[in-house]
Amino acid sequence: MRVLLTTWGSRGDVEPLAGLAVALRALGVRARVCAPPDEEFVTLLARAGVPLVPLGPTVRSVVAGDTPPTARDAFRLAPELVAARFGTLAAAADGCQALLATGLLPAGARDVAEQLGIPYVFACFHTVGLPSRHVAPGARPGTPSPRDETDNRVLWEQDAQRVNALYGEALNRHRAAIGLPPVGNVRDHVLTDRPWLAADATLWPAQGMTDLGVVRTGAWFLPDERPLPEGLEAFLGAGAPPVYVGFGSMAAHAPAGIARAAVEAVRAQGHRVLLARGWADPSPVDDVDDCFVIGEVNQQALFRRVAAVVHHGGAGTTTAAARAGAPQVVVPRIVDQPYWGTRVAELGIGSVHHGPEPTRDSLSAALRTALDPAVRRRARAVAGAVRTDGAAVAARLLLDTAVRATPSASR
């Protein structure tokens, strides 16, 4: 049995697929991953022993330029990714019994599965972007909705129009080329009526957040047994647990001076600092030896040994910190990050930084809350409720989906 997993997005979109592929392998299912060819993703998937088929441009080339991507960039990228999926996925899925897609709206993936006659599954790591009568859609490139429009049903219809403007022409042109009829609502076509939600139920409760019948699997973790680097071990052993500060791919366009503000805020609370490079590749703000800069490391091991985690609020980092029982300070920027921050605060396992421009004082205040002993006790309690079998659950579901769709004579 073989399956194809595909995504285009940041590490938070790629690493869960590596975890799912490893869980599938444990069931005797061979999985390959179509993902952007960023060097860190190539390394990540190689470490997991999962074949990578390059898909589209690197994410870093799109999001980590001198300026943040614009709406014009989005309208260039959308048809490029549609074309890449029709070309790359069709070849990569040959001989596969199922195709699962996630990440930036994977227009083209369902259509390749349809062409090949195999099941298609859309998976997501949060419910932002899934239609809901109770929650308004987030921002998307294209014509904005009128400011005075408050009816969520109307707002979601306008969101679907924006998706059509981004992907519709390219998708239907490629569908016509392989003999498939046009799609009228690209968003709903991609999402399906039963998307899989790969998020922990404690951290992201889905009730009331979408009208779709989501299939909850739990978060997908990639097991990581790597030891921490020698220098990092020495730093950890030289004093009290430090505070981790890292903003992942968001660091490329984080507010100016955020690294210095964060380091000064941590120092103001009497702690040492672990500063993660992310995609900004920051240098120490000074030569004081209470700040240690790290690259890509085993977060599962590291987060159990820090006083708190200050981060951007991505699904992967939020869940990893919660699983480790580490108090958190979420500094959200886009999409799902504000809700992860809100949820961290609601659960009492940390705090969320409000406002677009973090300063030494504002970050220090948020960190003071997270470092309260009661918050650490609560974080440790919640850690016990975070399920770690999400990838195994999803692997069994995907195997069952593929088997049900496979004629008995060819099994």
Side-chain angles (χ1 to χ4, degrees), residues 1 96-97 116-119 401-411:
M1 180 74 70
C96 290
Q97 282 72 49
L116 298 175
I118 61 175
T401 299
V403 168
R404 285 198 303 270
T406 303
S408 57
S410 62
R411 290 180 191 171

Side-chain angles (χ1 to χ4, degrees), residues 139-151:
R140 201 187 294 272
T143 304
S145 296
R147 286 189 174 186
D148 58 353
E149 181 58 73
T150 59
D151 187 327

Side-chain angles (χ1 to χ4, degrees), residues 259-286:
R260 177 175 289 277
V263 169
E264 291 177 350
V266 174
R267 287 171 171 166
Q269 297 304 312
H271 283 268
R272 301 181 301 151
V273 192
L274 279 176
L275 184 60
R277 290 193 179 93
W279 283 10
D281 199 21
S283 300
V285 298
D286 50 41

Side-chain angles (χ1 to χ4, degrees), residues 126-128 135-136 138-139 203-204 209 250 311-315 318 328-347 351-356:
H126 52 76
T127 56
V128 175
V135 181
L203 302 178
W204 193 289
M209 298 188 70
M250 292 294 102
H311 63 101
H312 58 297
T318 305
Q328 307 183 46
V329 175
V330 179
V331 188
R333 302 289 293 169
I334 59 173
V335 193
D336 56 319
Q337 296 167 8
Y339 183 78
W340 286 113
T342 297
R343 191 62 184 150
V344 162
E346 287 175 349
L347 287 169
S351 60
V352 57
H353 179 278
H354 297 287

